[in-house]
Amino acid sequence: MAPYSLLVTRLQKALGVRQYHVASVLCQRAKVAMSHFEPNEYIRYDLLEKNINIIRKRLNRPLTLSEKIVYGHLDDPANQEIERGKTYLRLRPDRVAMQDATAQMAMLQFISSGLPRVAVPSTIHCDHLIEAQLGGEKDLRRAKDINQEVYNFLATAGAKYGVGFWRPGSGIIHQIILENYAYPGVLLIGTDSHTPNGGGLGGICIGVGGADAVDVMAGIPWELKCPKVIGVKLTGSLSGWTSPKDVILKVAGILTVKGGTGAIVEYHGPGVDSISCTGMATICNMGAEVGATTSVFPYNHRMKKYLSKTGRADIADLADEFKDHLVPDPGCHYDQVIEINLSELKPHINGPFTPDLAHPVAEVGSVAEKEGWPLDIRVGLIGSCTNSSYEDMGRSAAVAKQALAHGLKCKSQFTITPGSEQIRATIERDGYAQVLRDVGGIVLANACGPCIGQWDRKDIKKGEKNTIVTSYNRNFTGRNDANPETHAFVTSPEIVTALAIAGTLKFNPETDFLTGKDGKKFKLQAPDADELPRVEFDPGQDTYQHPPKDSSGQRVDVSPTSQRLQLLEPFDKWDGKDLEDLQILIKVKGKCTTDHISAAGPWLKFRGHLDNISNNLLIGAINIENGKANSVRNAVTQEFGPVPDTARYYKKHGIRWVVIGDENYGEGSSREHAALEPRHLGGRAIITKSFARIHETNLKKQGLLPLTFADPADYNKIHPVDKLTIQGLKDFAPGKPLKCVIKHPNGTQETILLNHTFNETQIEWFRAGSALNRMKELQQK
């Protein structure tokens, strides 16, 4: 074991020489802290073990890793009904994490609850509001100035209610969690859809809406439909240009954007050990793109190595003692099994416009020519919560060095987003950042940036057809730059770097040659880089604000004239009647993600002001009546106009309305604004062929009715000019379909059945008007 003084030095470096109880954290071997920032909050492997033993006796069968962690956090393991894909589990998560765009609404809801302090360790991370424009330092200064009111609200709300606050510039929430908070066996929920990133450290980390986070912060058991488990067996080993990103790009091509809905994707098999801890996090992170509840890897020596390097060797030692509970049982059953031989896997690139359109890099050029996609790459972008680790940056730098050695720079524009302040400081110290600058790159702030549309792009005009390649996770239409003609492709950072150097989709680094400045041809060699720095990480600047023990004097001010923050008013209760003569606001054609329902980019600044952000409601959805976005018929005036304006007109005139949607409605981000906005503007139900998991739950939380056609073909029976009546709400019960009467303008009617997934608790949310209203009712009782 290293000398005590060395351990203290390492811990202080990891903390940026911050003032914490170093001695108590190091000496309490039987009580190991969940993080350096909460020395008195301990990992409860003993409770996990106790609950697993209860479940094992009840089920009398081998358990998957997912089942061990999820069932190990049951509120009542002895009596909880357990059936994969059917029953709702009541769980006790270990902690909550919120990014700044979603934390605003989550904290506003927590304030409305009237509770004095959060019941579980919780954190806020400022990463979404920093726009990429000129470069890291300048963009950060600009963001702090523009967003001062919001940052002050989040900082003071965190201090008031016991929530840790990571200041702007700290880094992306998921990288911060991996470095400081995730650990094997943790159950963590986060108000961001890419929270599953923490599965790379063996935790069950699930993306949710803010109302779910409020439940957990309030100490209420959190409900989750018992997930199915999809097993992905990995054999062989990664080598050459093939990277961890290619694993999930391949899986996305197999499962599609909804193939993982209602399931946890659990990786296992001998191939797991060839993947670094941060590589496993990359795979889990982008698992959100297949609709999975989350993804997870079993605890192994790669995780132990990462924990030790990030100053958490004590957690690794404790995990070793409980390892049997942190890996799947031999012979456990998966609902579906996918096998991938890593030795045969080739580099992939997915897109455009959807993250499940998979192509081997060797073939994408010819496919692009056939489809008419632009071959010329305008911008290559690396980083993001998916791929911004030390290893990612090292592999990209290894590619860049080869080009520089032959006198080449990137033909495309090139940007680099460090995942955290610790990553930024360490790649600066170790020279990677300078190499990436030398090849033509611009290092952006430690934030989400272009990945979520926070990109002040100047090189093209809106409507100009162009191609970009990124190491991000999503590539929906207009997501990165608000241009619907940008063809965005996702791939690994090293492939992005190689393609940016070549400047074309037709380049395959495994086989094709580049021409150096001297006129000689050369081929890039597969990159090789350390998965972790050889010396300790450089923690960089101190960016963490610890909540005070006594917050009684802390004030949280929200100005009544603010355009960015607005205290919440409770939604109206259900009136006890069927929903009659609902007007159809819009019948959506095709893909409708949360980006379509509540756009990000410039709208992020209104995430704390429900009325203002509601002006983006469904502006990206395609109206089946005219094939246009943000153009719907007002049933009263018969004029076409913007969706939000029409919704406001209906609300003003007491007309309740409904949305008709297609498959996998609400795919993508966890943003609950996509549920809050229709509720705020008078919506009562959303009827679709199918829902994405998080969005369906968010709608329920806000008192809306997410319903699905019992027969998907009934989607075609409803026309935008019809009116709908939803019957059976007085006898609303789990598993009992509702009836929908379709009233056509010619006076004819027809009745169809609508399914739902409400349980008793969720029906109470609907009757109370929202989950928050129900929480207040229970407090009063």
Side-chain angles (χ1 to χ4, degrees):
M1 182 176 177
Y4 177 85
S5 59
L6 178 57
L7 287 174
V8 171
T9 301
R10 287 178 178 175
L11 183 52
Q12 288 177 332
K13 283 184 177 180
L15 297 174
V17 200
R18 299 159 194 157
Q19 300 300 310
Y20 288 96
H21 303 292
V22 175
S24 64
V25 173
L26 290 171
C27 294
Q28 291 175 357
R29 306 304 296 178
K31 288 186 175 182
V32 175
M34 293 171 63
S35 81
H36 298 314
F37 303 101
E38 295 133 356
N40 298 315
E41 298 283 352
Y42 303 112
I43 294 174
R44 293 296 310 275
Y45 282 152
D46 57 332
L47 180 58
L48 185 75
E49 180 177 58
K50 177 183 176 182
N51 289 350
I52 289 172
N53 288 338
I54 292 171
I55 295 299
R56 194 183 297 283
K57 289 178 181 178
R58 286 184 56 198
L59 299 183
N60 192 30
R61 60 170 173 79
L63 300 176
T64 67
L65 171 60
S66 306
E67 291 179 307
K68 288 181 181 181
I69 301 175
V70 173
Y71 304 164
H73 285 83
L74 285 169
D75 182 52
D76 184 6
N79 298 297
Q80 170 71 59
E81 187 179 358
I82 298 171
E83 187 175 356
R84 288 187 196 172
K86 293 189 177 181
T87 58
Y88 278 86
L89 307 178
R90 292 167 62 84
L91 302 168
R92 292 285 185 178
D94 297 300
R95 65 179 311 118
V96 172
M98 300 168 280
Q99 41 94 334
D100 51 355
T102 52
Q104 295 171 63
M105 195 57 66
M107 292 309 297
L108 286 166
Q109 290 178 87
F110 189 81
I111 290 170
S112 295
S113 75
L115 296 169
R117 197 172 179 87
V118 296
V120 301
S122 305
T123 50
I124 295 169
H125 304 260
C126 294
D127 62 358
H128 271 56
L129 301 179
I130 302 169
E131 185 180 47
Q133 190 180 65
L134 301 173
E137 292 185 10
K138 292 180 180 178
D139 292 347
L140 181 58
R141 284 199 300 270
R142 178 170 173 266
K144 288 179 177 178
D145 180 55
I146 293 173
N147 303 310
Q148 182 180 7
E149 178 187 19
V150 171
Y151 291 147
N152 179 65
F153 166 73
L154 292 174
T156 54
K160 176 70 173 177
Y161 297 104
V163 179
F165 180 70
W166 288 84
R167 301 184 185 94
S170 302
I172 305 173
I173 177 173
H174 312 301
Q175 183 66 28
I176 297 290
I177 289 172
L178 201 71
E179 293 172 353
N180 299 280
Y181 298 116
Y183 60 82
V186 69
L187 177 59
L188 180 152
I189 71 165
T191 60
D192 188 280
S193 56
H194 292 105
T195 301
N197 191 80
L201 253 180
I204 294 294
C205 303
I206 301 176
V208 299
D212 276 338
V214 172
D215 279 356
V216 180
M217 291 190 292
I220 297 173
W222 174 61
E223 289 198 345
L224 175 73
K225 181 177 277 190
C226 187
K228 295 182 179 180
V229 187
I230 297 173
V232 179
K233 183 178 180 180
L234 302 179
T235 60
S237 60
L238 292 174
S239 63
W241 284 92
T242 307
S243 72
K245 186 65 163 281
D246 297 306
V247 177
I248 186 57
L249 294 175
K250 178 71 172 179
V251 169
I254 295 170
L255 288 176
T256 76
V257 291
K258 64 174 186 175
T261 302
I264 294 176
V265 178
E266 182 173 312
Y267 294 85
H268 62 284
V272 166
D273 286 343
S274 75
I275 305 173
S276 67
C277 178
T278 51
M280 290 186 260
T282 291
I283 294 167
C284 291
N285 177 294
M286 198 175 158
E289 307 335 311
V290 301
T293 301
T294 192
S295 301
V296 68
F297 277 83
Y299 177 62
N300 67 358
H301 71 283
R302 308 299 281 263
M303 296 181 191
K304 180 181 177 73
K305 184 177 180 181
Y306 183 80
L307 285 167
S308 297
K309 185 63 76 170
T310 51
R312 294 175 288 169
D314 52 348
I315 294 179
D317 291 341
L318 189 65
D320 285 342
E321 294 180 29
F322 289 86
K323 185 173 182 179
D324 287 348
H325 303 304
L326 305 174
V327 296
D329 288 339
C332 64
H333 171 71
Y334 295 104
D335 295 282
Q336 178 183 351
V337 176
I338 297 168
E339 293 195 27
I340 297 176
N341 185 336
L342 300 179
S343 299
E344 298 175 355
L345 184 64
K346 289 292 186 180
H348 273 61
I349 182 169
N350 288 22
F353 305 126
T354 185
D356 60 344
L357 186 57
H359 320 275
V361 171
E363 299 173 11
V364 70
S366 59
V367 175
E369 281 186 318
K370 180 182 176 181
E371 298 292 337
W373 303 333
L375 291 171
D376 177 54
I377 297 170
R378 297 295 292 266
V379 191
L381 307 98
I382 67 169
S384 82
C385 65
T386 317
N387 280 108
S388 56
S389 67
Y390 184 83
E391 180 182 35
D392 289 328
M393 296 299 168
R395 285 174 68 88
S396 292
V399 175
K401 283 180 181 178
Q402 296 179 60
L404 290 168
H406 290 84
L408 296 185
K409 290 192 175 185
C410 292
K411 289 185 179 179
S412 311
Q413 293 183 43
F414 187 46
T415 70
I416 303 97
T417 304
S420 68
E421 170 61 9
Q422 179 166 275
I423 293 295
R424 182 209 63 80
T426 306
I427 66 171
E428 288 286 1
R429 181 197 68 193
D430 293 353
Y432 291 166
Q434 190 56 50
V435 169
L436 296 170
R437 288 192 193 96
D438 290 343
V439 84
I442 297 175
V443 178
L444 301 175
N446 314 324
C448 299
C451 183
I452 59 161
Q454 285 285 51
W455 185 14
D456 185 21
R457 190 177 181 190
K458 301 292 189 184
D459 64 300
I460 60 161
K461 295 179 181 179
K462 190 169 184 177
E464 183 180 343
K465 197 173 180 179
N466 74 104
T467 286
I468 64 173
V469 293
T470 82
S471 69
Y472 303 162
N473 41 46
R474 288 196 178 129
N475 55 350
F476 302 141
T477 302
R479 177 175 173 87
N480 302 124
D481 60 3
N483 179 12
E485 290 300 323
T486 293
H487 293 56
F489 295 83
V490 292
T491 185
S492 68
E494 52 265 48
I495 293 293
V496 171
T497 306
L499 293 178
I501 291 166
T504 176
L505 279 178
K506 291 214 70 173
F507 180 69
N508 177 10
E510 288 191 305
T511 58
D512 295 344
F513 287 80
L514 295 169
T515 301
K517 192 174 183 180
D518 59 3
K520 296 180 180 179
K521 292 187 178 296
F522 72 98
K523 193 168 78 168
L524 293 170
Q525 299 302 306
D528 185 29
D530 295 330
E531 67 179 275
L532 294 165
R534 297 183 183 183
V535 295
E536 304 303 320
F537 276 108
D538 183 339
Q541 299 179 38
D542 182 354
T543 55
Y544 179 72
Q545 171 187 295
H546 197 287
K549 291 182 178 180
D550 181 5
S551 59
S552 57
Q554 181 69 52
R555 289 180 57 85
V556 182
D557 293 324
V558 176
S559 169
T561 60
S562 173
Q563 294 301 300
R564 297 196 62 177
L565 297 166
Q566 181 186 47
L567 293 174
L568 297 174
E569 295 291 334
F571 290 130
D572 59 301
K573 293 182 64 172
W574 175 56
D575 62 8
K577 301 177 182 178
D578 287 339
L579 297 175
E580 296 185 354
D581 292 331
L582 296 173
Q583 187 62 55
I584 297 170
L585 176 66
I586 182 173
K587 182 179 179 183
V588 177
K589 179 182 178 181
K591 185 186 283 284
C592 190
T593 71
T594 47
D595 283 74
H596 294 87
I597 303 167
S598 176
W603 291 96
L604 284 170
K605 61 178 173 286
F606 297 125
R607 284 285 181 87
H609 197 293
L610 180 54
D611 193 57
N612 282 345
I613 199 169
S614 293
N615 288 321
N616 76 1
L617 174 66
L618 286 158
I619 61 175
I622 301 300
N623 180 10
I624 199 169
E625 187 175 7
N626 56 12
K628 296 181 180 180
N630 202 25
S631 175
V632 295
R633 184 195 301 270
N634 184 313
V636 178
T637 67
Q638 294 301 308
E639 296 177 352
F640 280 84
V643 182
D645 292 359
T646 307
R648 288 187 186 278
Y649 180 95
Y650 290 161
K651 181 179 181 180
K652 181 179 178 180
H653 291 84
I655 301 170
R656 296 184 294 186
W657 51 264
V658 62
V659 170
I660 307 300
D662 212 317
E663 294 278 6
N664 208 32
Y665 185 89
E667 166 193 344
S669 170
S670 69
R671 68 192 67 158
E672 66 179 341
H673 297 77
L676 283 158
E677 292 174 34
R679 182 73 164 97
H680 174 65
L681 293 185
R684 302 307 300 177
I686 313 291
I687 306 173
T688 72
K689 293 180 182 178
S690 63
F691 285 97
R693 175 191 64 86
I694 300 176
H695 187 59
E696 182 179 19
T697 301
N698 287 346
L699 291 168
K700 293 176 183 178
K701 286 279 186 177
Q702 303 308 332
L704 280 154
L705 289 172
L707 306 171
T708 56
F709 297 104
D711 179 356
D714 287 345
Y715 168 87
N716 298 316
K717 293 181 179 179
I718 297 177
H719 305 285
V721 293
D722 295 337
K723 288 187 177 181
L724 308 181
T725 292
I726 298 173
Q727 298 178 338
L729 292 175
K730 292 181 181 179
D731 300 316
F732 197 12
K736 185 177 181 180
L738 298 172
K739 290 183 179 180
C740 176
V741 178
I742 307 169
K743 300 179 181 180
H744 302 298
N746 63 6
T748 61
Q749 297 184 6
E750 54 186 315
T751 301
I752 62 174
L753 291 180
L754 301 176
N755 291 334
H756 64 85
T757 61
F758 281 79
N759 62 20
E760 290 289 359
T761 300
Q762 294 164 348
I763 290 172
E764 289 176 0
W765 299 342
F766 169 73
R767 289 171 176 157
S770 71
L772 186 59
N773 287 0
R774 181 58 179 159
M775 183 194 300
K776 291 180 180 178
E777 287 180 356
L778 293 173
Q779 287 177 21
Q780 291 169 359
K781 291 180 180 179

